[in-house]
């Protein structure tokens, strides 16, 4: 099956198969009036329409961009998309001044979602996850990293990862599963967290790996959750399980998670609201991607991650939603781009690269995803405006009009098909 996207005002993309860093983050390839052709799910041509006509047969299908801007679809490299219940009561409490950690310590927070998720059936979790994936897709995201972490026991962690696997099999959005069983200490182990760490290392991680349910592991490395020493023990077996490492690092307190992520060879260090100059230097000298989640700073009303310092120091920066019920309940990458620019001081070109090519790199997929180049997967969006800056400039609305996944239109005129 072949598809031609034509009639664009601009076709805009970062280029390459590795993460961009420093100044290179802002370098976009911008072609006016270009067309994009896809054959069997792969991009086969980007360029001049007349040249396309000379070199290629008539396509099976044509998608009219109507003077809109064509970009790579978003990759969202940090999400917690499977959960039951919701936490708007805590949101109200935070608006009245309580902090995220105070609420967590008083029995709310992650453990309240764990309570609801443990009681939910697999079918309930599957249905709500599928609905969320529809929202991701309508906002232009075709690939997500998807964490477990609201089970905190073997049975429920496996149920969550199986839901992720089932959704991946039938939904147009691709899901890359991460085991985040080390998201919090569950209530039954509160009096002796070491027992839960032993269970994670001895039972939960090996069983998840044996079943092939995850491709990566993550730990919430945070004051009052898992400290640096516990985190490094929890991550020590990752390579034996064949897992890459992501790390919730320096989110609420400056613990040194970024340095630990680099030391452990993590693919990404995520959050970084409180990263120190030493953490920034460590990331800049490594291949670990700094995944920034400005939705969380916005929603928890915390200071922004130091995106400018990270970029100007030469770190590879990516953007993600952190979609979850407690600290960032959104599926919208356009919203995240707006916060990245208006909050963290990135420019729109940097944000586009961070949400596409670098986001693909943050899940180890920059060779196949994240840019509009021959040979890459044909995951493409068409926005309702002529230039890419409108992604952010026209903030607070969904600019995505059409979405193409694997060379097939899956959203047309904002409707799922
Ligand atoms: O990334 N920090 C830990 N996990 C999530 C929050 C999860 C929750 O509050 O339910 C985060 O911010
Ligand atoms: Fe998170």
């Amino acid at each position: 099956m072949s598809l031609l996207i034509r009639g664009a005002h601009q076709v805009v993309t970062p280029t390459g198969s590795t993460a961009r860093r420093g100044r290179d983050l802002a370098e976009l390839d911008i072609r006016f009036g270009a067309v994009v052709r896809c054959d069997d799910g792969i991009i086969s041509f980007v360029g001049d329409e007349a040249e396309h006509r000379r070199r290629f047969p008539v396509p099976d299908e044509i998608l009219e961009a109507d003077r809109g801007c064509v970009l790579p679809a978003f990759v969202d490299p940090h999400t917690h998309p499977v959960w039951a219940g919701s936490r708007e009561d805590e949101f109200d409490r935070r608006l009245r001044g309580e902090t995220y950690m105070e609420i967590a310590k008083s029995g709310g927070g992650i453990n309240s979602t764990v309570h609801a998720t443990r009681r939910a059936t697999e079918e309930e979790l599957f249905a709500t996850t599928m609905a969320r994936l529809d929202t991701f897709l309508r906002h232009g995201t075709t690939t997500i990293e998807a964490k477990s972490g609201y089970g905190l026991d073997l049975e429920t962690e496996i149920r969550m990862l199986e839901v992720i696997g089932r959704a991946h099999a039938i939904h147009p959005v691709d899901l890359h599963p991460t085991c985040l069983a080390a998201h919090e200490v569950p209530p039954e182990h509160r009096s002796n967290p070491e027992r839960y760490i032993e269970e994670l290392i001895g039972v939960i991680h090996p069983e998840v790996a044996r079943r092939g349910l995850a491709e990566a592991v993550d730990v919430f490395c945070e004051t009052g959750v898992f400290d640096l020493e516990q985190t490094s023990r929890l991550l020590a077996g990752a390579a034996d399980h064949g897992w890459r490492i992501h790390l919730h690092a320096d989110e609420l307190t400056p613990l040194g998670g970024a340095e630990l992520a680099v030391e452990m060879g993590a693919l990404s260090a995520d959050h970084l609201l409180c990263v120190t100059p030493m953490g920034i230097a460590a990331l800049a000298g490594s291949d670990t991607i700094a995944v920034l989640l400005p939705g969380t700073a916005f929603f928890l009303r915390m200071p922004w991650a130091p995106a400018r310092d990270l970029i100007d120091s030469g770190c590879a920066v990516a953007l993600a939603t952190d979609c979850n019920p407690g600290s960032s309940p959104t599926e919208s990458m356009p919203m995240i781009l707006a916060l990245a620019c208006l909050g963290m001081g990135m420019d729109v070109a940097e944000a586009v690269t961070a949400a596409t090519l670098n986001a693909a790199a943050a899940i180890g997929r920059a060779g196949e995803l994240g840019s509009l180049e021959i040979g890459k997967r044909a995951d493409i969006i068409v926005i309702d405006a002529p230039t890419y800056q409108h992604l952010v400039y026209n903030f607070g609305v969904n600019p995505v009009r059409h979405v193409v996944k694997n060379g097939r239109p899956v959203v047309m005129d904002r409707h799922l098909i």
Side-chain angles (χ1 to χ4, degrees):
M1 135 97 188
S2 55
L3 173 75
L4 184 72
I5 305 173
R6 66 166 307 283
H9 180 69
Q10 283 183 341
V11 174
V12 176
T13 183
T15 56
S17 295
T18 53
R20 289 182 161 258
R21 38 178 85 227
R23 275 167 200 272
D24 292 347
L25 200 62
E27 211 178 276
L28 294 176
D29 184 52
I30 302 173
R31 303 189 198 202
F32 290 87
V35 300
V36 181
R37 182 185 175 105
C38 325
D39 280 277
D40 300 324
I42 302 293
I43 295 171
S44 50
F45 179 80
V46 182
D48 182 60
E49 187 161 18
E51 185 187 343
H52 171 267
R53 212 174 297 120
R54 276 199 307 279
R55 287 182 39 205
F56 286 86
V58 174
D60 298 324
E61 211 179 308
I62 290 180
L63 181 62
E64 268 300 334
D66 275 334
R67 310 286 301 154
C69 176
V70 175
L71 295 129
F74 299 120
V75 175
D76 188 341
H78 181 137
T79 82
H80 309 244
V82 184
W83 74 81
S86 64
R87 310 227 297 267
E88 66 275 23
D89 51 331
E90 295 182 8
F91 177 52
D92 274 337
R93 285 167 66 183
R94 284 197 302 97
L95 291 178
R96 288 194 296 267
E98 277 181 84
T99 69
Y100 179 81
M101 265 304 171
E102 283 163 2
I103 291 169
K105 284 195 183 118
S106 73
I110 292 171
N111 268 321
S112 74
T113 300
V114 169
H115 186 67
T117 304
R118 284 179 175 178
R119 282 183 313 178
T121 65
E122 176 161 339
E123 287 321 303
E124 284 162 1
L125 291 175
F126 182 68
T128 51
T129 301
M130 290 291 283
R132 270 172 217 135
L133 292 173
D134 287 348
T135 308
F136 277 107
L137 195 63
R138 282 192 285 102
H139 287 81
T141 298
T142 53
T143 303
I144 67 172
E145 181 265 10
K147 302 176 195 296
S148 67
Y150 291 118
L152 311 186
D153 60 29
L154 180 63
E155 185 200 320
T156 320
E157 288 294 314
I158 285 179
R159 197 185 323 142
M160 290 184 72
L161 289 163
E162 282 177 347
V163 164
I164 291 169
R166 281 175 62 195
H168 174 71
I170 65 167
H171 200 280
V173 172
D174 284 325
L175 293 89
H176 292 273
T178 296
C179 178
L180 177 57
H183 195 192
E184 175 56 291
V185 177
E188 62 274 21
H189 288 298
R190 250 297 150 216
S191 59
N192 188 357
E194 198 51 44
R195 290 276 295 279
Y196 185 53
I197 295 173
E198 281 165 21
E199 189 181 330
L200 285 165
I201 294 172
V203 181
I204 299 180
H205 284 173
E207 184 58 19
V208 168
R210 193 185 68 76
R211 294 185 187 216
L213 289 172
E215 58 185 56
V217 62
D218 192 346
V219 176
F220 187 13
C221 179
E222 185 57 62
T223 308
V225 189
F226 298 103
D227 66 21
L228 287 176
E229 183 275 327
Q230 293 167 326
T231 302
S232 60
R233 271 192 288 140
L234 285 162
L235 295 176
D240 291 341
H241 296 320
W243 287 344
R244 308 171 194 274
I245 295 172
H246 302 292
L247 190 63
H248 279 72
D250 302 320
E251 177 178 353
L252 307 171
T253 55
L255 250 197
E259 293 92 315
L260 180 65
V262 170
E263 190 185 314
M264 306 287 302
L267 186 55
S268 71
D270 302 33
H271 283 290
L272 305 172
L273 300 188
C274 301
V275 67
T276 63
M278 270 166 54
I280 295 175
L283 288 166
S286 78
D287 289 331
T288 301
I289 311 248
V291 175
L292 304 185
L293 310 149
T296 308
F298 178 65
F299 196 72
L300 297 184
R301 297 199 291 170
M302 289 193 43
W304 305 103
R308 276 269 55 93
D309 290 346
L310 287 157
I311 295 168
D312 298 340
S313 306
C315 300
V317 166
L319 290 167
T321 59
D322 196 23
C323 176
N324 78 75
S327 69
S328 187
T330 182
E331 296 87 354
S332 170
M333 283 297 276
M335 177 69 188
I336 296 305
L337 267 72
L339 297 174
C341 296
L342 294 164
M344 298 199 299
M346 292 172 67
D347 68 36
V348 186
E350 290 174 329
V352 166
T353 303
T356 55
L357 182 65
N358 281 22
I363 55 167
R365 295 296 190 294
E368 61 205 76
L369 286 179
S371 64
L372 302 179
E373 293 177 280
I374 294 170
K376 286 227 180 168
R377 199 189 299 156
D379 291 1
I380 303 167
I381 60 173
V382 182
I383 65 167
D384 238 348
T387 63
Y388 71 92
Q389 288 92 338
H390 280 77
L391 276 172
V392 169
Y393 167 73
N394 189 198
F395 76 97
V397 298
N398 181 10
V400 177
R401 181 170 176 204
H402 307 306
V403 181
V404 171
K405 173 69 193 171
N406 287 332
R408 288 176 189 276
V410 287
V411 174
M412 287 279 275
D413 277 319
R414 302 174 179 277
H415 293 292
L416 296 163
I417 53 172

